[in-house]
Amino acid sequence: MTRTEQQDALTAARKLAPVLARRAAEHDESGAFPRADFDDLHAAGLLGLMAPTRLGGTGARFADYTDVAIELATGSGATALIFNMHASVTGALAHVPDDVARTLGAPDSYFVTRDRILAEASAGALYAVAMSERGAGSRLSQLTTRYERRDGGFRIVGSKAFVSGAGHADAYLVAAKSSEPGADGGPVVSYFLVPAGDGVTVEPTWNSLGMRATGSHDLHLDVTVPADALLGGVEGITLLLAQVMPHWLVASYAAVYVGVARSAIDTASTYLEERGLTHLPAVRARIGRADAEVAAARLTVAEAARRVDADPAALDTRRWVWRAKLLAGDTAARVAASMLEAAGTSATRRGHDLERIFRDARCGALQPPPSDVCADWLGVAGLGGDPERDTAVPRW
Ligand SMILES: Cc1cc2nc3c(=O)[nH]c(=O)nc-3n(C[C@H](O)[C@H](O)[C@H](O)COP(=O)(O)OP(=O)(O)OC[C@H]3O[C@@H](n4cnc5c(N)ncnc54)[C@H](O)[C@@H]3O)c2cc1C
């Protein structure tokens, strides 16, 4: 990505943020998919942000994604979160170098499929992530969705939960476990890109505290997909990808919640001005603390992103990714609560922007890895242990 393209994407996101913000309350209230927001993202070329330029995209790096996601999330956390899922699918596909894919065993046909998926994103296709399940969360080894080889392709049967953008995506990244154990007797968990359509049904279950417009409903799968739906063309690569790409599908949320936290400060500042309360020292101190906390979280996300772009699989990179996720999630919740308290009870009314941001911000620490898990991993690493091996509960 050239500097100009990077600036163009960031400028487009900055211009869109106030437009998304104007629609956010209505989407939150109805829980409706933010269709107009995604039409605008498409028109601005942002659905192709991670696709390479040769496929009509922008060829963004992870750091570019975080800058764009922060801006979008200052307008609407929910829209930025759906965008995050799409960017995770396209970013992971775009960023696995060809030689690494070949070493993992990817056949030639994989590269054709990958390019098609990325070109379609540039042309406006939207991808969602259907990884989590009720009870299992996002722990890959615990998934109950199964697949088996059938008719030259794969039959996938199971149910997913918390699927942001469900019913509005063109295809879903589905994690599923083979009905056959691997050579070592362990589970084989693979990724498929499953097109929306027959055999993919949405159950409208999402009526939750925050991020309501993500429409993160349950998704039921009873579907047969062609062989090229197996991402990477190889079974069982999910754990490996989670290790070499700890940012996508794991912690790219950090940027979203930095943007949400920033919007809490901006919204509270405007409201406090309107109410004539900014002369109060306690109110100013809350704004000051929040400003410092969000700046710290933002710098941590930037450092994590810089390291991801330089050396994604390094242990030090992973530690920065966990720090970023932990700080962003906790900061968003703390800052939004403080801003609401500064603004007073009138800002807790349903429909007030701060009330929505407070609820959206509360979701950051819950998204994987949850804050407690990030803290545990960091603690193990800080004490000289190996988080892959030395945690009480297996990571995946
Ligand atoms: C707004 C929102 C949107 C989402 N969108 C999507 C989406 O589009 N696609 C998708 O697949 N998922 C999505 N998710 C789900 C998300 O990815 C997680 O899978 C889900 O939030 C985790 O499940 P859980 O909170 O029920 O449980 P768990 O992750 O099981 O957490 C329950 C408790 O166990 C603890 N815990 C969990 N793992 C460990 C561990 N390894 N070690 C120690 N303690 C642990 C946690 O800290 C927590 O206290 C979304 C979630 C939210 C909040």
Side-chain angles (χ1 to χ4, degrees), residues 233-300:
V234 199
E235 292 181 61
I237 57 167
T238 48
L239 286 176
L240 193 65
L241 278 185
Q243 274 157 6
V244 297
M245 294 193 146
H247 43 300
W248 294 120
L249 297 180
V250 181
S252 45
Y253 317 104
V256 170
Y257 288 97
V258 166
V260 171
R262 184 72 245 167
S263 73
I265 302 178
D266 295 345
T267 306
S269 301
T270 307
Y271 186 64
L272 289 162
E273 291 275 2
E274 281 166 15
R275 290 200 59 200
L277 295 174
T278 47
H279 64 287
L280 297 174
V283 161
R284 285 200 309 265
R286 279 184 185 275
I287 298 279
R289 275 202 198 88
D291 175 75
E293 286 192 58
V294 174
R298 186 170 192 150
L299 280 176
T300 310

Side-chain angles (χ1 to χ4, degrees), residues 81 85 129 131-132 137-139 162 164 211 366-368 373 394:
L81 196 54
M85 302 302 169
V129 174
M131 187 153 95
S132 305
S138 57
R139 281 184 305 281
F162 318 125
S164 298
M211 294 292 188
L366 303 176
Q367 298 218 243
V373 174

